[in-house]
């Protein structure tokens, strides 16, 4: 019965791999790697294109052309670049299977506090959510998954990291990774974040980490679309190969992940603010009347800056959910919730206390009448992380109103995910982002 126990034992399966990495003799890694594909603006795309002919943006987010069609499109061009660069030895494959210690040193936005976040890169086995090993915490959208699936089918490689969280309150794993190997990469990105990478191939260290991770449950912090894309691709390849569902050694059964301890003080979650635009008729007086059904509404100094806004939100959080509504020349503080039960009907008690859920259900849907579909499709709502930018967008008349909020706490993310629930899209912003291209996992 040993095989039966092994088959039904829930465990996180982590393994080392021989990563493809940019050859520093051919191209400076700082000129070749990028932010995650979904964080690349058109301006960033142009800058990456200009940085180096080997910048990875040509693969992960290539330019679209008017002549694109079935025979030539961004995915076909991406596969061509990847194949050519491998043939030219722009990428070199590490000699030994390794895990990769990954350190990010950064300044907390809006402060002078410096923090280091530690993690490690390895391959993680792709699991169905029903297995109870990998948990999501946010909704996904069909369009981004279709885009990433086309890229994966064309290149048969993973270029970006799926950001995975595990719990290690006694901090056993991070110290094991602090070996004396020479680091193979160090660079500072456009946000001033210093990234460092060390390969770890010592079998004893790798085995220690694998053993320590076996009983961990994993939460996707960032990369929900890419994880579900990898899951779809795995199922396609299984079907094509006639593989059984328990066939776990094929390359497509794994995806590249960065693992970070959710109990680490270096883990930072920022809010993503909501910017509302395109409403047929909007006035702050009318909004105040409707919002008063759900919150106590107080007018505050309209000249406040981003730092002061953050401080007000943090202080008001002691009374429960707190939000700031910023318009062209007025600012309201929404606090001390008095939400009617009808507004939060259908949401669990653990979600009802979340600022982002109250904002969506009570304010966006309840007070402003924006439908769930319009929110999901970003018809009237867009998302901005930077507090000053969100405020400026409303003050300059580019939006009707911006809503600022406090971040979701890590414990809340954990409770929601492990309960099998999901938050609205863009509820969390784990900062900083993991760079794309430091390591590459080629399936073939």
């Amino acid at each position: 019965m040993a095989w039966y126990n092994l088959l039904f034992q829930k465990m996180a399966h982590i393994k080392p791999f021989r990563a493809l990495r940019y050859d520093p003799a051919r191209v400076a890694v700082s000129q070749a790697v990028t932010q995650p594909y979904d964080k690349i603006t058109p301006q960033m795309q142009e800058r990456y294109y200009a940085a180096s002919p080997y910048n990875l943006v040509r693969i992960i987010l290539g330019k679209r052309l008017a002549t694109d069609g079935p025979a030539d499109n961004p995915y076909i061009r991406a596969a061509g670049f990847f194949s050519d660069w491998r043939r030219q030895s722009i990428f070199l494959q590490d000699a030994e299977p390794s895990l990769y210690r990954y350190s990010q040193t950064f300044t907390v936005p809006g402060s002078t506090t410096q923090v280091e976040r530690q993690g490690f890169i390895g391959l993680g086995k792709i699991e169905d959510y029903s297995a109870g090993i990998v948990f999501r915490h946010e909704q996904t959208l069909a369009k981004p998954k279709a885009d990433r699936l086309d890229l994966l089918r064309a290149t048969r490689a993973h270029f970006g990291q799926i950001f995975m969280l595990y719990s290690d309150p006694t901090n056993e794993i991070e110290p094991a990774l602090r070996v004396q190997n020479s680091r193979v990469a160090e660079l500072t990105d456009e946000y001033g974040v210093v990234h460092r990478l060390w390969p770890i191939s010592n079998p004893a260290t790798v085995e220690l980490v694998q053993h320590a991770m076996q009983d961990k449950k994993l939460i996707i912090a960032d990369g929900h679309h890419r994880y579900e894309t990898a899951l779809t691709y795995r199922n396609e390849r299984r079907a094509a190969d006639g593989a059984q569902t328990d066939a776990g050694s094929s390359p497509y059964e794994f995806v590249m992940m960065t693992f970070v301890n959710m109990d680490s003080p270096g883990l930072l979650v920022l809010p993503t603010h909501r910017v509302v635009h395109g409403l047929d008729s909007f006035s702050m007086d009318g909004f105040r009347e409707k919002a008063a059904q759900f919150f106590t509404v107080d007018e505050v100094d309209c000249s406040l800056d981003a730092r002061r806004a953050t401080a007000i939100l943090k202080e008001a959080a002691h009374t429960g959910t707190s939000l700031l509504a910023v318009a062209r020349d007025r600012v309201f503080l929404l606090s001390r919730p008095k939400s009617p039960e009808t507004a939060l009907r259908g949401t669990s008690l653990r979600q009802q206390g979340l600022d982002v859920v109250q904002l969506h259900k009570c304010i966006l849907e309840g007070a402003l009448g924006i439908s769930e579909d319009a929110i999901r499709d970003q018809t009237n709502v867009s998302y901005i992380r930077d507090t000053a930018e969100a405020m400026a967008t409303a003050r300059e008349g580019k939006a009707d109103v911006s809503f600022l909020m406090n971040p979701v706490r890590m414990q809340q993310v954990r409770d929601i995910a492990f309960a099998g629930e999901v938050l609205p899209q863009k509820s969390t912003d784990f900062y900083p982002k993991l760079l794309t291209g430091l390591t590459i996992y080629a399936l073939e």
Side-chain angles (χ1 to χ4, degrees):
M1 295 295 289
W3 65 271
Y4 181 90
N5 293 330
L6 181 62
L7 182 63
F8 288 92
Q9 186 177 0
K10 296 180 178 180
M11 63 173 63
H13 187 172
I14 310 302
K15 72 175 188 177
F17 69 114
R18 295 175 58 211
L20 290 175
R21 294 188 295 106
Y22 278 98
D23 179 0
R26 302 294 303 277
V27 57
V29 68
S30 61
Q31 301 301 308
V33 297
T34 74
Q35 295 293 320
Y37 81 99
D38 56 340
K39 300 299 178 183
I40 299 175
T41 65
Q43 295 76 20
M44 292 169 69
Q45 185 189 48
E46 290 293 342
R47 190 170 71 246
Y48 288 145
Y49 260 82
S52 168
Y54 302 114
N55 188 283
L56 199 66
V57 75
R58 288 172 171 79
I59 293 176
I60 66 164
L61 195 67
K63 292 181 178 179
R64 296 186 178 273
L65 306 176
T67 55
D68 283 349
D72 186 30
N73 56 55
Y75 311 110
I76 290 174
R77 290 192 291 273
F81 284 128
F82 187 45
S83 176
D84 290 346
W85 296 355
R86 292 180 76 176
R87 187 168 56 251
Q88 297 170 36
S89 297
I90 301 301
F91 300 125
L92 297 179
Q93 189 165 32
D94 286 334
E96 298 178 288
S98 302
L99 301 176
Y100 298 84
R101 178 185 164 205
Y102 183 14
S103 162
Q104 295 169 285
T105 304
F106 61 97
T107 300
V108 176
S111 78
T112 58
T113 304
Q114 275 225 323
V115 177
E116 183 180 24
R117 187 175 73 193
Q118 296 277 349
F120 71 93
I121 300 171
L123 298 186
K125 192 170 188 297
I126 301 167
E127 304 282 359
D128 295 298
Y129 292 137
S130 60
I133 298 171
V134 173
F135 296 79
R136 59 179 181 159
H137 79 273
E138 283 188 347
Q139 295 278 15
T140 55
L141 303 174
K143 188 175 180 180
K145 287 190 287 188
D147 166 60
R148 292 299 95 181
L149 184 57
D150 284 340
L151 181 65
L152 180 54
R153 286 168 175 159
T155 61
R156 300 199 172 193
H158 296 284
F159 303 94
Q161 303 295 329
I162 295 173
F163 189 164
M164 285 292 193
L165 301 171
Y166 65 93
S167 180
D168 184 18
T170 59
N171 197 30
E172 296 179 26
I173 294 174
E174 280 187 16
L177 296 168
R178 295 192 189 117
V179 294
Q180 298 304 310
N181 293 19
S182 298
R183 59 177 173 262
V184 293
E186 178 172 348
L187 67 142
T188 302
D189 71 17
E190 55 262 70
Y191 300 107
V193 180
V194 180
H195 303 259
R196 299 181 179 93
L197 190 74
W198 295 260
I200 300 170
S201 57
N202 179 275
T205 303
V206 170
E207 185 177 352
L208 186 155
V209 173
Q210 287 178 303
H211 180 76
M213 289 293 294
Q214 279 186 355
D215 65 344
K216 306 299 184 189
K217 295 182 184 298
L218 305 174
I219 296 175
I220 304 172
D222 269 338
H224 288 78
H225 291 93
R226 280 171 286 143
Y227 184 82
E228 293 181 15
T229 293
L231 185 60
T232 298
Y233 183 75
R234 180 205 69 178
N235 293 341
E236 287 183 355
R237 293 292 301 272
R238 279 180 175 178
D241 293 350
Q244 299 300 312
T245 57
D246 60 349
S249 60
S250 298
Y252 55 74
E253 297 281 344
F254 293 84
V255 67
M256 191 166 57
M257 302 175 179
T258 294
F259 302 90
V260 174
N261 182 8
M262 70 177 75
D263 304 301
S264 168
L267 189 68
L268 178 65
V269 187
L270 299 177
T272 300
H273 307 302
R274 271 55 174 165
V275 177
V276 176
H277 48 80
L279 298 181
D280 290 336
S281 60
F282 176 82
S283 73
M284 283 296 269
D285 285 330
F287 168 72
R288 181 176 195 165
E289 182 179 345
K290 293 178 180 177
Q293 302 174 62
F294 306 100
F295 293 92
T296 298
V297 182
D298 297 302
E299 190 150 10
V300 299
D301 180 8
C302 68
S303 67
L304 84 169
D305 61 10
R307 188 181 294 272
R308 179 64 182 145
T310 301
I312 289 174
L313 284 170
K314 186 175 182 180
E315 177 63 27
H318 295 301
T319 64
T321 293
S322 60
L323 307 166
L324 277 174
V326 181
R328 183 187 290 271
D329 55 4
R330 300 181 77 180
V331 179
F332 293 153
L333 172 64
L334 283 57
S335 62
R336 301 187 292 281
K338 48 183 178 181
S339 306
E341 290 183 7
T342 53
L344 297 173
R345 183 178 294 145
T347 58
S348 69
L349 288 175
R350 64 177 60 86
Q351 292 213 34
Q352 289 179 16
L354 297 178
D355 293 18
V356 65
V357 171
Q358 293 231 3
L359 171 59
H360 275 240
K361 294 296 182 182
C362 300
I363 300 302
L364 299 184
E365 295 179 33
L368 296 178
I370 304 173
S371 70
E372 283 188 64
D373 288 342
I375 294 171
R376 182 176 57 250
D377 297 338
Q378 300 186 35
T379 305
N380 298 104
V381 180
S382 55
Y383 304 88
I384 296 179
R385 181 182 74 197
D386 185 77
T387 303
E389 183 183 352
M391 296 174 74
T393 300
R395 285 173 167 169
E396 293 168 4
K398 298 176 182 176
D400 296 311
V401 58
S402 291
F403 292 102
L404 313 181
M405 60 184 164
N406 287 306
V408 178
R409 299 191 305 276
M410 185 60 237
Q411 185 62 49
Q412 293 174 313
V413 174
R414 175 180 179 147
D415 291 346
I416 294 292
F418 287 161
E421 300 177 10
V422 291
L423 293 169
Q425 70 249 42
K426 298 186 183 297
S427 293
T428 56
D429 183 3
F430 289 86
Y431 184 86
K433 299 306 176 189
L434 306 171
L435 288 185
T436 297
L438 284 176
T439 58
I440 296 168
Y441 173 45
L443 305 183
E444 296 176 355

